[in-house]
Amino acid sequence: MQRRDFLKLSVGTAATAAFASRANAQSTPKEIRIGYQKTGVLVITRQQAALEKHFTPLGIDVKWIEFSSGPPMMEAMNVGSVDFGAVGDSPPVFAQAAGAAIVYAAGQPITNGQGILVPKDSQVRTIADLKGKRIGFTKGSSAHNIVVQTLEEAGLTYADITPVYLTPPDAGPAFANGSIEAWAIWDPYFAIGETKQNGRILINSREVTKTNSFYIANREFARNHGAVLQQIVDVTTAAGKWAEQHRDEVAKSLAAITGVPLDIQAVAANRANFVVGPVTDEIVATQQGVADRFYKLGLIPKPIVIRDIVWRNPAA
């Protein structure tokens, strides 16, 4: 499929006209600020300039802001510096518990590409062997949830390990030099650790739990620009459909945008799921389980109800 064909998936004359009609009923932003990380559908969307091609004719600029992980993106979104972005399952839980002004706009099941790594020569062979070990991960990230649920699988508690809170760029060197004995992480860092830093996959997240990633929007943006938000989701969904069928091109796009070597992004692209869809009842139930577990462990200060911040397009 050529780029012009890809764009037909996301932008059509009828769709643009319908958007313009809905947008006139609301205020139209001059700029959309998109938060992204070094992997995923939004990177493809940026490489294809799909949002720009859709919104520029309507007088709306698109600005891209890169983050190393989800928690700082949620902080930026809460204060209104980011309008829309993609994160794993845990950042929005921590953000909602802190009263952040966010909503869930779309969901994406994660079927591969994240888990826990140990050095190839490590004596850690089972989950139970993690007891007493230093495990590096980003606090409040999807990796945090992986650690918690993996420990439960083996009958261990959070107190049985020593959590070492590190951002992905800091955790990689710590893993390579032995400062941490295991690393919970997602692609492309998962692939980097596995292929370039002498890592061995101890557990893939899909072996212990269902996980999802999410497309999150600032609450006020969703309230004031619902038609625009729906179009962002639609274009992103189309990009995901295209990516499912063009993984080699996806790897090239990921490498070009992020600077992560092509061979690493090829590993990540070939095992990723790119299907974007609504936040279904099943996804809500899975996410509620994450929130309840974190509250039980004292990792968030109060219980929360995920469904309370799931955005529904009022025009749908």
Side-chain angles (χ1 to χ4, degrees), residues 13 32 65 96 115 125 173 180 191 246 271 286:
T13 302
I32 302 167
I65 306 169
Q96 183 181 359
R125 296 289 173 180
I180 54 177
H246 299 83
R271 64 188 179 191
T286 299

Side-chain angles (χ1 to χ4, degrees), residues 86-165:
V87 296
D89 52 9
S90 300
V93 167
F94 281 82
Q96 183 181 359
I102 61 168
V103 294
Y104 291 90
Q108 183 177 336
I110 299 175
T111 56
N112 207 339
Q114 62 178 10
I116 298 177
L117 295 170
V118 295
K120 285 184 178 178
D121 58 357
S122 172
Q123 296 303 305
V124 175
R125 296 289 173 180
T126 68
I127 299 172
D129 294 335
L130 290 173
K131 186 173 183 178
K133 299 298 188 292
R134 300 183 303 276
I135 305 178
F137 55 90
T138 302
K139 185 177 183 179
S141 70
S142 60
H144 200 155
N145 182 42
I146 293 168
V147 170
V148 169
Q149 296 212 45
T150 297
L151 294 174
E152 287 186 359
E153 182 77 8
L156 299 177
T157 70
Y158 199 63
D160 286 322
I161 60 123
T162 300
V164 182
Y165 300 134

Side-chain angles (χ1 to χ4, degrees), residues 182-198:
W183 183 19
I185 192 59
W186 56 87
D187 274 334
Y189 304 101
F190 193 47
I192 292 172
E194 180 186 359
T195 62
K196 302 295 186 181
Q197 295 173 317
N198 200 38

Side-chain angles (χ1 to χ4, degrees), residues 74 77-80 82-83 95-96 98-103 216-222 309:
M74 293 294 89
M77 191 172 290
N78 176 51
V79 299
V82 172
D83 302 312
Q96 183 181 359
I102 61 168
V103 294
I216 307 295
N218 171 270
R219 185 175 59 211
E220 294 305 310
F221 182 86
I309 64 165

